[in-house]
Coordinates of all heavy atoms in Angstrom, one line a residue:
M2 N -26.6 -8.9 18.9 CA -28.1 -8.9 18.7 C -28.7 -9.0 20.1 O -28.3 -9.8 20.9 CB -28.5 -10.1 17.8 CG -29.9 -10.3 17.7 SD -30.4 -11.7 16.6 CE -30.0 -11.1 15.0
K3 N -29.7 -8.2 20.3 CA -30.5 -8.3 21.6 C -31.4 -9.5 21.6 O -31.8 -10.0 20.5 CB -31.3 -7.0 21.8 CG -30.4 -5.8 21.8 CD -29.8 -5.6 23.2 CE -29.1 -4.3 23.3 NZ -28.2 -4.2 24.4
W4 N -31.8 -9.9 22.8 CA -32.7 -11.0 22.9 C -34.1 -10.8 22.2 O -34.6 -11.7 21.6 CB -32.9 -11.4 24.4 CG -33.9 -12.6 24.5 CD1 -35.1 -12.5 25.1 CD2 -33.7 -13.9 24.1 NE1 -35.7 -13.8 25.0 CE2 -34.8 -14.7 24.4 CE3 -32.6 -14.6 23.5 CZ2 -34.9 -16.0 24.2 CZ3 -32.7 -15.9 23.2 CH2 -33.9 -16.6 23.6
L5 N -34.6 -9.5 22.3 CA -35.8 -9.2 21.6 C -35.7 -9.4 20.1 O -36.6 -9.9 19.5 CB -36.2 -7.7 21.9 CG -37.5 -7.2 21.3 CD1 -38.7 -8.0 21.8 CD2 -37.7 -5.8 21.6
E6 N -34.6 -9.0 19.5 CA -34.4 -9.2 18.1 C -34.3 -10.7 17.7 O -34.9 -11.1 16.7 CB -33.1 -8.5 17.6 CG -33.1 -7.0 17.8 CD -31.7 -6.5 17.5 OE1 -31.1 -6.9 16.5 OE2 -31.3 -5.6 18.3
M7 N -33.7 -11.5 18.6 CA -33.7 -12.9 18.4 C -35.1 -13.5 18.4 O -35.4 -14.4 17.6 CB -32.8 -13.6 19.5 CG -32.8 -15.1 19.5 SD -31.6 -15.7 18.3 CE -30.2 -15.8 19.4
R8 N -35.9 -13.1 19.3 CA -37.3 -13.6 19.4 C -38.1 -13.2 18.1 O -38.9 -14.0 17.6 CB -38.0 -12.9 20.6 CG -37.5 -13.4 21.9 CD -38.3 -12.8 23.0 NE -39.7 -13.4 23.0 CZ -40.8 -12.8 23.4 NH1 -40.7 -11.6 23.8 NH2 -41.9 -13.4 23.3
Q9 N -37.8 -12.1 17.5 CA -38.5 -11.7 16.3 C -38.0 -12.5 15.1 O -38.7 -12.8 14.2 CB -38.3 -10.2 16.0 CG -39.0 -9.3 17.0 CD -38.7 -7.9 17.0 OE1 -37.8 -7.5 16.2 NE2 -39.4 -7.1 17.7
L10 N -36.7 -12.8 15.1 CA -36.0 -13.5 14.0 C -36.4 -15.0 14.0 O -36.7 -15.6 12.9 CB -34.5 -13.3 14.0 CG -33.7 -13.8 12.9 CD1 -34.1 -13.1 11.6 CD2 -32.2 -13.7 13.2
F11 N -36.5 -15.6 15.1 CA -36.9 -17.0 15.3 C -38.1 -17.1 16.2 O -37.9 -17.5 17.4 CB -35.7 -17.8 15.9 CG -34.5 -17.8 15.1 CD1 -33.4 -16.9 15.4 CD2 -34.3 -18.6 14.0 CE1 -32.2 -16.9 14.7 CE2 -33.1 -18.6 13.3 CZ -32.1 -17.8 13.6
P12 N -39.3 -16.8 15.8 CA -40.4 -16.8 16.7 C -40.8 -18.2 17.1 O -40.9 -19.1 16.2 CB -41.5 -16.2 15.8 CG -41.1 -16.3 14.4 CD -39.6 -16.4 14.4
N13 N -41.0 -18.4 18.4 CA -41.5 -19.7 19.0 C -40.7 -20.9 18.5 O -41.2 -21.9 18.1 CB -43.0 -19.9 18.6 CG -43.7 -20.8 19.6 OD1 -43.3 -20.9 20.8 ND2 -44.7 -21.5 19.2
R14 N -39.3 -20.8 18.6 CA -38.4 -21.9 18.2 C -37.3 -22.0 19.3 O -37.0 -21.1 20.0 CB -37.7 -21.5 16.9 CG -38.6 -21.2 15.7 CD -39.0 -22.4 14.9 NE -38.1 -23.4 14.7 CZ -37.4 -23.6 13.5 NH1 -37.5 -22.7 12.5 NH2 -36.6 -24.6 13.4
F15 N -36.7 -23.2 19.3 CA -35.5 -23.3 20.1 C -34.3 -22.8 19.2 O -34.3 -23.1 18.0 CB -35.2 -24.8 20.4 CG -36.0 -25.3 21.5 CD1 -37.1 -26.1 21.3 CD2 -35.6 -25.0 22.8 CE1 -37.9 -26.6 22.4 CE2 -36.4 -25.5 23.9 CZ -37.5 -26.3 23.7
V16 N -33.4 -22.1 19.8 CA -32.3 -21.6 19.0 C -31.0 -21.8 19.8 O -30.9 -21.7 21.0 CB -32.4 -20.0 18.9 CG1 -31.3 -19.4 18.1 CG2 -33.8 -19.7 18.2
L17 N -30.0 -22.2 19.0 CA -28.6 -22.4 19.5 C -27.9 -21.1 19.3 O -27.9 -20.6 18.1 CB -27.9 -23.5 18.8 CG -26.4 -23.7 19.1 CD1 -26.2 -24.1 20.6 CD2 -25.8 -24.7 18.2
F18 N -27.3 -20.5 20.3 CA -26.6 -19.2 20.2 C -25.4 -19.1 21.1 O -25.3 -19.9 22.0 CB -27.6 -18.0 20.4 CG -28.2 -18.0 21.8 CD1 -27.6 -17.4 22.8 CD2 -29.4 -18.7 22.0 CE1 -28.2 -17.4 24.1 CE2 -30.0 -18.7 23.2 CZ -29.4 -18.0 24.3
S19 N -24.6 -18.1 20.8 CA -23.4 -17.8 21.6 C -23.8 -16.6 22.5 O -24.4 -15.7 22.0 CB -22.2 -17.5 20.8 OG -21.7 -18.6 20.1
V20 N -23.4 -16.7 23.7 CA -23.6 -15.6 24.7 C -22.5 -14.6 24.5 O -21.3 -14.9 24.7 CB -23.8 -16.1 26.1 CG1 -23.9 -14.9 27.1 CG2 -24.9 -17.1 26.2
L21 N -22.8 -13.3 24.2 CA -21.8 -12.3 24.0 C -21.7 -11.4 25.2 O -20.6 -11.0 25.6 CB -22.1 -11.4 22.8 CG -22.1 -12.2 21.4 CD1 -22.5 -11.2 20.3 CD2 -20.8 -12.9 21.2
E22 N -22.8 -11.1 25.9 CA -22.8 -10.2 27.0 C -24.0 -10.6 27.9 O -25.1 -11.0 27.5 CB -23.0 -8.8 26.5 CG -22.8 -7.7 27.5 CD -22.9 -6.3 26.9 OE1 -22.3 -6.1 25.8 OE2 -23.6 -5.5 27.5
Y23 N -23.7 -10.5 29.2 CA -24.8 -10.8 30.2 C -24.5 -9.9 31.5 O -23.4 -9.4 31.6 CB -24.8 -12.3 30.6 CG -23.6 -12.7 31.3 CD1 -23.5 -12.7 32.7 CD2 -22.5 -13.3 30.6 CE1 -22.4 -13.1 33.4 CE2 -21.4 -13.7 31.3 CZ -21.3 -13.6 32.7 OH -20.2 -14.1 33.3
H24 N -25.5 -9.8 32.3 CA -25.3 -9.2 33.7 C -25.9 -10.1 34.7 O -26.9 -10.9 34.4 CB -25.8 -7.8 33.7 CG -27.3 -7.7 33.7 ND1 -28.0 -7.7 32.5 CD2 -28.2 -7.6 34.7 CE1 -29.3 -7.6 32.8 NE2 -29.5 -7.5 34.1
Q25 N -25.4 -10.1 35.9 CA -25.9 -11.0 36.9 C -26.5 -10.2 38.1 O -26.0 -9.2 38.5 CB -24.7 -11.8 37.5 CG -25.1 -13.0 38.3 CD -24.0 -14.0 38.5 OE1 -23.1 -14.1 37.7 NE2 -24.0 -14.7 39.6
E26 N -27.6 -10.7 38.5 CA -28.3 -10.1 39.7 C -28.6 -11.3 40.7 O -29.5 -12.1 40.4 CB -29.6 -9.4 39.3 CG -29.4 -8.2 38.4 CD -30.8 -7.7 37.9 OE1 -31.8 -8.1 38.5 OE2 -30.7 -6.8 37.0
G27 N -27.8 -11.3 41.7 CA -28.0 -12.4 42.7 C -27.6 -13.7 42.1 O -26.5 -13.9 41.6
T28 N -28.6 -14.6 42.1 CA -28.3 -16.0 41.5 C -28.9 -16.1 40.1 O -29.0 -17.2 39.6 CB -29.0 -17.1 42.4 OG1 -30.4 -16.8 42.5 CG2 -28.3 -17.1 43.8
R29 N -29.2 -15.0 39.5 CA -29.7 -15.0 38.1 C -28.8 -14.3 37.1 O -28.3 -13.2 37.4 CB -31.1 -14.4 38.1 CG -32.1 -15.2 38.8 CD -33.5 -14.6 38.6 NE -34.4 -15.5 39.3 CZ -35.6 -15.2 39.5 NH1 -36.1 -14.0 39.1 NH2 -36.4 -16.0 40.2
R30 N -28.6 -14.9 36.0 CA -27.8 -14.4 34.9 C -28.7 -14.0 33.8 O -29.3 -14.8 33.2 CB -26.7 -15.4 34.5 CG -25.7 -14.8 33.6 CD -24.6 -15.8 33.4 NE -23.8 -15.9 34.6 CZ -22.8 -16.7 34.7 NH1 -22.5 -17.6 33.8 NH2 -22.1 -16.7 35.9
F31 N -28.8 -12.7 33.5 CA -29.6 -12.2 32.4 C -28.8 -12.0 31.1 O -27.8 -11.3 31.1 CB -30.2 -10.8 32.8 CG -31.2 -10.9 33.9 CD1 -30.8 -10.9 35.2 CD2 -32.6 -11.1 33.6 CE1 -31.7 -11.0 36.3 CE2 -33.5 -11.2 34.7 CZ -33.1 -11.1 36.0
I32 N -29.2 -12.7 30.1 CA -28.5 -12.6 28.8 C -28.9 -11.4 28.0 O -30.1 -11.2 27.8 CB -28.7 -13.9 28.0 CG1 -28.5 -15.2 28.8 CG2 -27.9 -13.9 26.7 CD1 -27.1 -15.4 29.3
D33 N -27.9 -10.5 27.7 CA -28.2 -9.3 27.0 C -27.9 -9.4 25.5 O -28.8 -9.0 24.7 CB -27.4 -8.1 27.6 CG -27.7 -7.9 29.1 OD1 -28.9 -8.0 29.5 OD2 -26.8 -7.7 29.9
E34 N -26.7 -9.8 25.1 CA -26.3 -9.8 23.7 C -26.0 -11.2 23.3 O -25.4 -12.0 24.1 CB -25.0 -9.0 23.5 CG -25.2 -7.5 23.7 CD -25.9 -6.9 22.5 OE1 -25.7 -7.4 21.4 OE2 -26.5 -5.8 22.6
V35 N -26.5 -11.6 22.2 CA -26.4 -13.0 21.7 C -26.0 -13.0 20.2 O -26.2 -12.0 19.5 CB -27.6 -13.9 21.8 CG1 -28.0 -14.0 23.3 CG2 -28.8 -13.3 21.1
E36 N -25.4 -14.1 19.8 CA -25.1 -14.3 18.4 C -25.7 -15.6 17.9 O -25.3 -16.7 18.4 CB -23.6 -14.3 18.1 CG -23.2 -14.5 16.7 CD -21.7 -14.6 16.5 OE1 -20.9 -14.3 17.4 OE2 -21.3 -15.1 15.4
P37 N -26.8 -15.5 17.1 CA -27.5 -16.8 16.7 C -26.6 -17.7 15.9 O -25.8 -17.2 15.0 CB -28.7 -16.3 15.9 CG -28.3 -14.9 15.5 CD -27.3 -14.4 16.5
I38 N -26.7 -19.0 16.1 CA -25.9 -19.9 15.3 C -26.9 -20.6 14.4 O -26.7 -20.6 13.1 CB -25.2 -21.0 16.2 CG1 -24.2 -20.2 17.0 CG2 -24.6 -22.1 15.3 CD1 -23.5 -21.1 18.1
R39 N -28.0 -21.2 14.9 CA -29.0 -21.8 14.1 C -30.2 -22.2 14.9 O -30.2 -22.3 16.1 CB -28.5 -23.0 13.4 CG -28.1 -24.2 14.3 CD -27.5 -25.3 13.4 NE -26.6 -26.1 14.2 CZ -26.9 -27.0 15.1 NH1 -28.2 -27.3 15.3 NH2 -26.0 -27.7 15.7
A40 N -31.4 -22.4 14.2 CA -32.6 -22.8 14.9 C -32.4 -24.3 15.1 O -31.8 -25.0 14.4 CB -33.8 -22.5 14.0
V41 N -33.1 -24.9 16.1 CA -33.0 -26.3 16.5 C -34.4 -26.8 16.5 O -35.4 -26.2 17.1 CB -32.4 -26.4 17.9 CG1 -32.3 -27.9 18.3 CG2 -31.0 -25.8 17.9
A42 N -34.6 -28.0 16.0 CA -35.9 -28.7 16.0 C -36.3 -29.0 17.4 O -35.4 -29.3 18.2 CB -35.9 -29.9 15.1
D43 N -37.6 -29.0 17.7 CA -38.0 -29.3 19.1 C -37.5 -30.6 19.6 O -37.1 -30.7 20.8 CB -39.6 -29.2 19.1 CG -40.1 -27.8 18.9 OD1 -39.3 -26.9 18.9 OD2 -41.3 -27.7 18.8
E44 N -37.6 -31.7 18.8 CA -37.2 -33.0 19.2 C -35.7 -33.1 19.4 O -35.2 -34.0 20.1 CB -37.7 -34.1 18.3 CG -37.2 -33.9 16.8 CD -38.2 -33.1 16.0 OE1 -39.2 -32.6 16.5 OE2 -37.9 -32.9 14.8
D45 N -34.9 -32.2 18.9 CA -33.4 -32.2 19.0 C -32.9 -31.3 20.1 O -31.7 -31.2 20.3 CB -32.7 -31.9 17.7 CG -33.1 -32.9 16.6 OD1 -33.4 -34.1 16.9 OD2 -33.1 -32.5 15.4
A46 N -33.7 -30.5 20.7 CA -33.3 -29.5 21.6 C -32.5 -30.0 22.8 O -31.5 -29.4 23.2 CB -34.5 -28.7 22.1
R47 N -33.0 -31.1 23.4 CA -32.3 -31.6 24.6 C -30.9 -32.1 24.2 O -29.9 -31.8 24.9 CB -33.0 -32.8 25.2 CG -32.3 -33.4 26.4 CD -33.1 -34.4 27.0 NE -34.3 -33.8 27.6 CZ -35.4 -34.4 28.1 NH1 -35.4 -35.7 28.0 NH2 -36.3 -33.8 28.6
T48 N -30.7 -32.8 23.1 CA -29.4 -33.3 22.6 C -28.5 -32.1 22.3 O -27.3 -32.1 22.7 CB -29.6 -34.1 21.3 OG1 -30.5 -35.2 21.6 CG2 -28.3 -34.7 20.9
E49 N -29.0 -31.1 21.6 CA -28.2 -29.9 21.3 C -27.8 -29.2 22.6 O -26.7 -28.7 22.6 CB -29.0 -29.0 20.4 CG -29.2 -29.5 19.0 CD -27.9 -29.5 18.2 OE1 -27.0 -28.8 18.4 OE2 -27.9 -30.4 17.2
F50 N -28.7 -29.1 23.5 CA -28.4 -28.4 24.8 C -27.2 -29.1 25.5 O -26.3 -28.5 26.0 CB -29.6 -28.4 25.7 CG -29.3 -27.8 27.0 CD1 -29.3 -26.4 27.2 CD2 -29.1 -28.5 28.2 CE1 -29.1 -25.8 28.4 CE2 -28.8 -28.0 29.4 CZ -28.8 -26.6 29.5
N51 N -27.3 -30.5 25.5 CA -26.2 -31.2 26.2 C -24.9 -31.2 25.5 O -23.8 -31.3 26.1 CB -26.7 -32.7 26.4 CG -27.8 -32.8 27.4 OD1 -27.9 -32.0 28.3 ND2 -28.6 -33.8 27.2
Q52 N -24.9 -31.0 24.2 CA -23.7 -31.0 23.4 C -23.1 -29.5 23.2 O -22.1 -29.4 22.6 CB -23.9 -31.6 22.0 CG -24.2 -33.1 22.1 CD -24.5 -33.7 20.8 OE1 -24.7 -33.0 19.8 NE2 -24.6 -35.0 20.7
A53 N -23.9 -28.5 23.6 CA -23.4 -27.1 23.4 C -22.1 -26.9 24.2 O -22.0 -27.3 25.3 CB -24.5 -26.2 23.8
G54 N -21.2 -26.3 23.6 CA -19.9 -26.0 24.2 C -20.0 -24.8 25.2 O -21.0 -24.2 25.4
P55 N -18.9 -24.5 25.7 CA -18.8 -23.3 26.6 C -19.2 -22.0 25.9 O -18.8 -21.8 24.8 CB -17.4 -23.3 27.1 CG -16.7 -24.4 26.5 CD -17.6 -25.1 25.6
G56 N -20.0 -21.3 26.6 CA -20.5 -20.0 26.0 C -21.6 -20.1 25.0 O -22.1 -19.1 24.5
K57 N -22.1 -21.3 24.8 CA -23.2 -21.6 23.9 C -24.4 -22.1 24.7 O -24.3 -22.7 25.7 CB -22.8 -22.6 22.8 CG -21.8 -22.0 21.9 CD -21.5 -22.9 20.7 CE -20.6 -22.2 19.8 NZ -19.3 -22.8 19.7
L58 N -25.6 -21.8 24.2 CA -26.8 -22.1 24.9 C -27.9 -22.4 23.9 O -28.0 -21.8 22.8 CB -27.2 -20.9 25.8 CG -28.3 -21.1 26.8 CD1 -28.0 -22.2 27.8 CD2 -28.5 -19.8 27.5
V59 N -28.8 -23.3 24.3 CA -30.1 -23.6 23.6 C -31.2 -23.1 24.5 O -31.3 -23.5 25.6 CB -30.2 -25.1 23.3 CG1 -31.6 -25.3 22.6 CG2 -29.1 -25.6 22.3
Y60 N -32.0 -22.2 23.9 CA -33.1 -21.6 24.7 C -34.3 -21.4 23.7 O -34.1 -21.2 22.5 CB -32.6 -20.2 25.2 CG -33.3 -19.8 26.5 CD1 -32.8 -20.2 27.7 CD2 -34.3 -18.9 26.5 CE1 -33.4 -19.8 28.9 CE2 -34.9 -18.4 27.7 CZ -34.4 -18.9 28.9 OH -35.0 -18.5 30.1
H61 N -35.5 -21.4 24.3 CA -36.7 -21.2 23.5 C -37.1 -19.7 23.4 O -37.0 -19.0 24.5 CB -37.9 -22.0 24.1 CG -39.0 -22.3 23.1 ND1 -40.0 -21.4 22.9 CD2 -39.1 -23.3 22.3 CE1 -40.8 -21.9 22.0 NE2 -40.3 -23.0 21.6
T62 N -37.5 -19.2 22.3 CA -37.7 -17.8 22.1 C -39.1 -17.4 22.6 O -39.5 -16.2 22.4 CB -37.6 -17.4 20.6 OG1 -38.4 -18.2 19.8 CG2 -36.1 -17.6 20.2
S63 N -39.9 -18.3 23.1 CA -41.2 -17.9 23.7 C -41.0 -17.1 24.9 O -41.9 -16.3 25.4 CB -42.1 -19.1 23.9 OG -41.5 -19.9 24.9
S64 N -39.9 -17.2 25.6 CA -39.6 -16.4 26.8 C -39.2 -15.0 26.5 O -38.4 -14.7 25.6 CB -38.4 -17.1 27.6 OG -38.7 -18.4 27.9
K65 N -39.8 -14.1 27.3 CA -39.6 -12.6 27.0 C -38.2 -12.2 27.4 O -37.6 -11.3 26.8 CB -40.6 -11.8 27.8 CG -42.0 -11.9 27.3 CD -43.0 -11.1 28.0 CE -44.4 -11.3 27.5 NZ -45.4 -10.5 28.1
V66 N -37.6 -12.9 28.4 CA -36.3 -12.6 28.9 C -35.5 -13.9 29.0 O -36.0 -14.9 29.4 CB -36.3 -11.9 30.3 CG1 -34.9 -11.6 30.8 CG2 -37.2 -10.7 30.2
C67 N -34.2 -13.8 28.6 CA -33.4 -15.0 28.6 C -32.6 -15.0 30.0 O -31.8 -14.1 30.2 CB -32.4 -15.0 27.5 SG -31.4 -16.5 27.4
V68 N -33.0 -15.8 30.9 CA -32.5 -15.8 32.3 C -32.0 -17.2 32.6 O -32.7 -18.2 32.4 CB -33.5 -15.4 33.3 CG1 -33.0 -15.4 34.7 CG2 -34.1 -14.0 32.9
L69 N -30.8 -17.3 33.2 CA -30.3 -18.5 33.8 C -30.2 -18.4 35.3 O -29.7 -17.4 35.8 CB -28.9 -18.8 33.2 CG -28.8 -18.9 31.7 CD1 -27.4 -19.1 31.2 CD2 -29.7 -20.0 31.1
R70 N -30.5 -19.5 35.9 CA -30.3 -19.5 37.4 C -29.0 -20.2 37.7 O -28.7 -21.3 37.2 CB -31.5 -20.3 38.0 CG -31.5 -20.2 39.6 CD -32.6 -21.0 40.1 NE -32.2 -22.4 39.9 CZ -32.7 -23.4 40.5 NH1 -33.7 -23.2 41.4 NH2 -32.3 -24.6 40.3
I71 N -28.2 -19.5 38.5 CA -26.9 -20.0 38.9 C -27.0 -20.9 40.1 O -27.5 -20.4 41.1 CB -25.9 -18.9 39.1 CG1 -25.9 -17.9 37.9 CG2 -24.5 -19.4 39.4 CD1 -25.5 -18.5 36.6
R72 N -26.6 -22.1 40.0 CA -26.6 -23.0 41.2 C -25.2 -23.1 41.7 O -24.3 -23.4 40.9 CB -27.2 -24.3 40.8 CG -28.6 -24.2 40.4 CD -29.2 -25.5 40.0 NE -28.4 -26.7 40.2 CZ -28.8 -27.9 39.8 NH1 -29.9 -28.1 39.1 NH2 -28.0 -29.0 40.0
R73 N -25.0 -23.0 43.0 CA -23.7 -23.2 43.6 C -23.6 -24.6 44.0 O -24.5 -25.2 44.6 CB -23.6 -22.3 44.8 CG -23.8 -20.8 44.6 CD -22.6 -20.2 43.9 NE -22.9 -18.8 43.7 CZ -22.3 -18.1 42.8 NH1 -21.3 -18.7 42.0 NH2 -22.6 -16.9 42.6
R74 N -22.4 -25.2 43.7 CA -22.2 -26.6 44.1 C -21.5 -26.6 45.5 O -20.6 -25.8 45.8 CB -21.2 -27.3 43.1 CG -21.8 -27.5 41.8 CD -20.9 -28.3 41.0 NE -21.5 -28.6 39.7 CZ -20.9 -29.3 38.7 NH1 -19.7 -29.9 39.0 NH2 -21.5 -29.5 37.6
K75 N -22.0 -27.5 46.3 CA -21.4 -27.7 47.6 C -20.1 -28.5 47.4 O -20.1 -29.4 46.6 CB -22.3 -28.4 48.6 CG -23.5 -27.6 48.9 CD -24.4 -28.4 49.9 CE -25.6 -27.6 50.2 NZ -26.5 -28.3 51.1
Y76 N -19.1 -28.0 48.0 CA -17.8 -28.7 47.9 C -17.8 -30.1 48.6 O -18.3 -30.1 49.8 CB -16.6 -27.9 48.4 CG -16.4 -26.6 47.6 CD1 -16.9 -25.4 48.0 CD2 -15.8 -26.7 46.4 CE1 -16.7 -24.3 47.3 CE2 -15.7 -25.6 45.6 CZ -16.1 -24.4 46.0 OH -15.9 -23.3 45.3
S77 N -17.4 -31.1 48.0 CA -17.3 -32.4 48.7 C -16.1 -32.5 49.5 O -15.0 -31.8 49.2 CB -17.4 -33.5 47.6 OG -16.3 -33.4 46.8
R78 N -16.1 -33.2 50.5 CA -15.0 -33.4 51.4 C -14.0 -34.3 50.8 O -14.3 -35.3 50.2 CB -15.4 -34.0 52.7 CG -15.8 -33.1 53.8 CD -16.2 -33.8 55.0 NE -15.0 -34.0 55.9 CZ -15.1 -34.1 57.2 NH1 -16.2 -34.0 57.8 NH2 -14.0 -34.4 57.9
V79 N -12.7 -34.0 51.0 CA -11.7 -34.8 50.5 C -11.1 -35.6 51.6 O -10.7 -35.0 52.7 CB -10.5 -34.0 49.8 CG1 -9.4 -34.8 49.4 CG2 -11.1 -33.1 48.7
R80 N -11.1 -36.9 51.5 CA -10.6 -37.7 52.6 C -9.2 -38.2 52.2 O -8.9 -38.6 51.1 CB -11.5 -39.0 52.8 CG -12.9 -38.6 53.2 CD -13.7 -39.8 53.4 NE -15.0 -39.4 53.8 CZ -15.9 -40.3 54.3 NH1 -15.6 -41.5 54.5 NH2 -17.1 -39.9 54.5
R81 N -8.4 -38.1 53.2 CA -7.0 -38.5 53.0 C -6.8 -39.9 53.5 O -7.4 -40.3 54.5 CB -6.0 -37.6 53.8 CG -6.1 -36.2 53.2 CD -5.1 -35.3 54.0 NE -5.2 -34.0 53.6 CZ -4.5 -33.0 54.0 NH1 -3.5 -33.2 54.8 NH2 -4.6 -31.8 53.5
K82 N -5.9 -40.6 52.9 CA -5.6 -42.0 53.3 C -4.8 -41.9 54.6 O -3.9 -41.0 54.7 CB -4.8 -42.7 52.3 CG -5.7 -43.1 51.0 CD -4.8 -43.9 50.1 CE -5.7 -44.2 48.9 NZ -4.9 -45.0 47.9
K83 N -5.1 -42.7 55.5 CA -4.3 -42.8 56.7 C -3.0 -43.5 56.5 O -2.9 -44.5 55.8 CB -5.0 -43.5 57.8 CG -6.3 -42.7 58.3 CD -6.9 -43.5 59.4 CE -8.2 -42.8 59.9 NZ -8.8 -43.4 61.0
T84 N -1.9 -42.9 57.0 CA -0.6 -43.5 56.8 C -0.3 -44.4 58.0 O -0.7 -44.1 59.1 CB 0.5 -42.4 56.7 OG1 0.5 -41.6 57.9 CG2 0.3 -41.6 55.5
K85 N 0.3 -45.5 57.7 CA 0.5 -46.5 58.8 C 1.9 -46.4 59.4 O 2.8 -45.9 58.9 CB 0.3 -47.9 58.3 CG -1.1 -48.1 57.9 CD -1.3 -49.5 57.4 CE -2.7 -49.8 57.0 NZ -3.0 -51.1 56.5

């Protein structure tokens, strides 16, 4: 299902869905194909977002395009113990 269809099916709601297909442009990931799982109440959206497994996402359908910003983590330095 396309994001536009999802917006029509669940107007102005938070929705939990699986990401089926996406494309990336620079540091942005545009979600193209989704599989809806269920609508989420506004007050439960943060909890559902934190509990969503890999490949699942909670997003509000008021957005015309479903876009995620990719953040790169800086690698932390590994310190070795000095041998005596």
Side-chain angles (χ1 to χ4, degrees):
M2 171 181 289
K3 299 280 185 193
W4 179 248
L5 180 61
E6 296 172 44
M7 174 81 89
R8 291 183 69 211
Q9 293 170 353
L10 189 62
F11 300 99
N13 204 27
R14 305 273 318 260
F15 282 102
V16 180
L17 174 66
F18 59 90
S19 293
V20 177
L21 300 178
E22 191 175 313
Y23 67 88
H24 70 278
Q25 191 164 334
E26 295 176 12
T28 59
R29 293 185 177 170
R30 189 172 286 176
F31 293 85
I32 308 300
D33 299 321
E34 292 282 332
V35 297
E36 180 181 345
I38 298 173
R39 62 183 155 79
V41 177
D43 291 350
E44 56 272 0
D45 298 333
R47 179 177 292 167
T48 304
E49 291 288 336
F50 178 80
N51 290 331
Q52 293 177 352
K57 294 189 173 115
L58 187 62
V59 174
Y60 208 85
H61 200 273
T62 57
S63 64
S64 301
K65 293 182 180 180
V66 180
C67 187
V68 179
L69 303 175
R70 190 182 68 162
I71 308 301
R72 294 178 9 186
R73 304 282 180 202
R74 291 187 181 182
K75 293 182 180 179
Y76 294 103
S77 60
R78 268 181 90 152
V79 176
R80 295 182 186 194
R81 297 182 185 184
K82 291 183 179 180
K83 293 182 181 181
T84 57
K85 293 182 182 180

